[in-house]
Amino acid sequence: MRSTFTGVSGLSSTPDVAVVIDVMRAFTVTAWAFRRGAERIVFAETLDEALELKARNPGWLAFQDGPVVPGFDLANSPARLRSLDVAGRTVVQKTTAGTVGALSVAGARLLLCASFVVAEATAAVLRQERPDSVTFVVTGDGGRADEDLACAQYIAERVADDTVAPDPFVERARNSGAAARLAEGVRLGWEGVDPEDVPLCLEADTFPFAMAAALEDGHLVLRQVSGDPAVFGPLG
């Protein structure tokens, strides 16, 4: 499998197979939402669209990043998500990096969204699919985020060798600029940032599912899929 690592601005066309990475914190949040029983995640292009979708669909929840915005149910914190009832719910998510990255490759035949917590399950899907090439989209810091690149490289290496250990890749994420900014946010008391967010984002291979996005009724919708080759079939 040939792996290409790029930011959104480096995309010249829609790849056949794309893995969009946002470790801190969008796709750690989506993974935790599925772990807690959410049915699906709908990606919104704008904050207004997210709130409109929530308003039109009673029972839906809306997540965003940054400071708390009125009308949203969560400010993209995996730690705070653990106290939110999402079982059986649809979540609308709008972030500045992860959802933008996913929407930029919405036409891909296979579109996976990933962070460290679902890294091995994501690699298992790629091992099952056996694509000739995969484009890893690094979303943070305009495509320069080392925590996202480290996660992408870990997944790529796990596809070829499932004994590769996550430790050196997680350590890079631990020392990344994003981790430092979140730690500073905790120190300064920023809204929407929890002291447990970084540790949760640095847990590797926690959940046994991957996350695949596809267009449904004009929206890009993320759902969980098994990372177990015994039960995962081609998405084709």
Side-chain angles (χ1 to χ4, degrees):
M1 184 185 82
R2 184 174 68 257
S3 298
T4 300
F5 305 93
T6 183
V8 172
S9 63
L11 293 165
S12 58
S13 61
T14 301
D16 181 56
V17 176
V19 180
V20 183
I21 310 290
D22 190 327
V23 171
M24 295 184 188
R25 297 168 288 173
F27 297 150
T28 302
V29 166
T30 56
W32 269 100
F34 287 129
R35 172 64 180 84
R36 294 186 55 79
E39 179 184 352
R40 61 179 183 163
I41 314 290
V42 179
F43 292 145
E45 294 192 16
T46 66
L47 295 175
D48 286 344
E49 181 190 6
L51 291 178
E52 288 169 7
L53 284 168
K54 178 186 174 182
R56 292 204 309 265
N57 296 277
W60 285 23
L61 301 170
F63 297 172
Q64 42 76 222
D65 59 2
V68 176
V69 175
F72 283 85
D73 301 282
L74 187 78
N76 211 39
S77 165
R80 296 184 184 182
L81 172 61
R82 294 180 300 178
S83 62
L84 187 65
D85 181 11
V86 298
R89 311 283 285 275
T90 292
V91 173
V92 183
Q93 187 184 46
K94 166 65 179 88
T95 70
T96 55
T99 62
V100 171
L103 288 163
S104 72
V105 290
R109 176 183 64 84
L110 174 58
L111 198 177
L112 301 171
C113 295
S115 59
F116 276 111
V117 292
V118 294
E120 165 51 25
T122 304
V125 170
L126 295 173
R127 286 196 295 269
Q128 176 72 5
E129 285 285 296
R130 301 172 69 179
D132 292 332
S133 64
V134 175
T135 297
F136 289 89
V137 182
V138 174
T139 63
D141 291 339
R144 299 181 300 274
D146 197 44
E147 75 281 1
D148 292 342
L149 180 59
C151 182
Q153 290 171 337
Y154 173 54
I155 294 170
E157 293 200 21
R158 290 282 296 198
V159 174
D161 179 0
D162 63 7
T163 68
V164 171
D167 305 59
F169 302 94
V170 170
E171 191 61 22
R172 284 170 54 191
R174 192 186 315 278
N175 294 316
S176 68
R181 286 192 296 273
L182 287 173
E184 181 71 357
V186 170
R187 188 182 70 81
L188 295 175
W190 290 353
E191 287 185 302
V193 180
D194 190 278
E196 291 300 308
D197 282 347
V198 170
L200 288 175
C201 291
L202 296 176
E203 293 181 353
D205 309 327
T206 305
F207 303 133
F209 56 81
M211 302 182 295
L215 291 169
E216 299 180 17
D217 299 323
H219 297 287
L220 188 62
V221 177
L222 187 70
R223 297 182 184 272
Q224 72 177 64
V225 295
S226 173
D228 183 351
V231 296
F232 178 79
L235 294 180

